[in-house]
């Protein structure tokens, strides 16, 4: 079965890295307008789950098969990197005091399980479909 071993390695590294922090350091913000480590982790978890939702919505979805991605998306994918600009997103980031290390570890482990379940579907089912990305078409 094909799996994304780099993704799994990265999630495991994030989980192990949490052992190096206590709750105070985890939630520390250098300035009021920058994220804490806790908020960064929350962003990764929330947005990865959103992308997994999009992936699941592709399974059997023929509504967007005739649509093409925008040129800026094609260029980004060809470069295999994001542009060197600040991107203002609409991401919901929880209040800093509501994010805890143990819950974050649990959420990262759930992402790992979810990714394996998605790979299992991708490897074992005849799936096709396409979802429209809000920024790149």
């Amino acid at each position: 079965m094909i799996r994304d071993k780099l993704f799994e390695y990265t999630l495991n590294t994030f989980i192990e890295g949490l052992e190096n922090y206590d709750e105070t350091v985890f939630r520390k913000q250098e300035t009021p307008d920058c994220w804490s480590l806790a908020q960064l982790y929350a962003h990764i978890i929330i947005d990865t789950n959103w992308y997994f939702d999009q992936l699941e919505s592709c399974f059997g979805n023929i509504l967007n098969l005739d649509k093409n991605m925008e040129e800026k998306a094609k260029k980004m994918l060809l470069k295999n990197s994001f542009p060197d600009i600040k991107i203002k997103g609409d991401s919901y980031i929880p209040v800093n005091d509501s994010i805890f290390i143990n819950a974050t570890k649990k959420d990262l482990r759930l992402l790992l399980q979810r990714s394996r379940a998605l790979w299992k579907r991708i490897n074992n089912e005849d799936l096709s479909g396409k979802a429209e990305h809000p920024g790149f078409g």
Side-chain angles (χ1 to χ4, degrees):
M1 177 173 86
I2 297 173
R3 290 192 343 233
D4 189 338
K5 291 180 183 177
L6 181 57
F7 180 77
E8 291 185 14
Y9 173 81
T10 302
L11 280 185
N12 284 319
T13 301
F14 287 171
I15 292 166
E16 291 166 15
L18 287 169
E19 298 299 324
N20 299 316
Y21 304 101
D22 63 25
E23 297 290 348
T24 303
V25 173
F26 186 56
R27 289 195 208 102
K28 182 180 179 192
Q29 288 179 268
E30 294 297 322
T31 64
D33 63 335
C34 76
W35 286 353
S36 66
L37 187 58
Q39 290 169 309
L40 177 63
Y41 269 88
H43 168 69
I44 291 167
I45 292 164
I46 291 165
D47 282 22
T48 302
N49 273 309
W50 182 84
Y51 280 105
F52 284 174
D53 291 345
Q54 297 309 300
L55 177 59
E56 286 177 333
S57 78
C58 290
F59 298 150
N61 181 355
I62 61 170
L63 296 176
N64 298 300
L65 290 177
D66 61 334
K67 296 181 181 177
N68 294 316
M69 74 173 76
E70 295 180 13
E71 284 303 313
K72 63 182 176 182
K74 288 179 186 177
K75 289 177 184 175
M76 187 183 79
L77 290 173
L78 286 172
K79 286 183 172 182
N80 197 26
S81 67
F82 284 101
D84 191 18
I85 58 171
K86 284 189 177 185
I87 299 173
K88 182 72 174 157
D90 295 334
S91 294
Y92 163 74
I93 299 301
V95 176
N96 210 17
D97 292 341
S98 68
I99 309 166
F100 297 92
I101 291 173
N102 283 338
T104 300
K105 286 179 190 177
K106 179 184 170 203
D107 290 342
L108 289 169
R109 288 185 187 110
L110 289 172
L111 278 180
L112 189 57
Q113 290 174 0
R114 191 171 180 197
S115 72
R116 289 177 178 158
L118 286 167
W119 273 111
K120 187 174 182 180
R121 267 190 93 182
I122 290 168
N123 283 298
N124 295 320
E125 297 179 32
D126 184 21
L127 303 167
S128 64
K130 196 173 184 181
E132 185 171 4
H133 187 278
F136 297 118

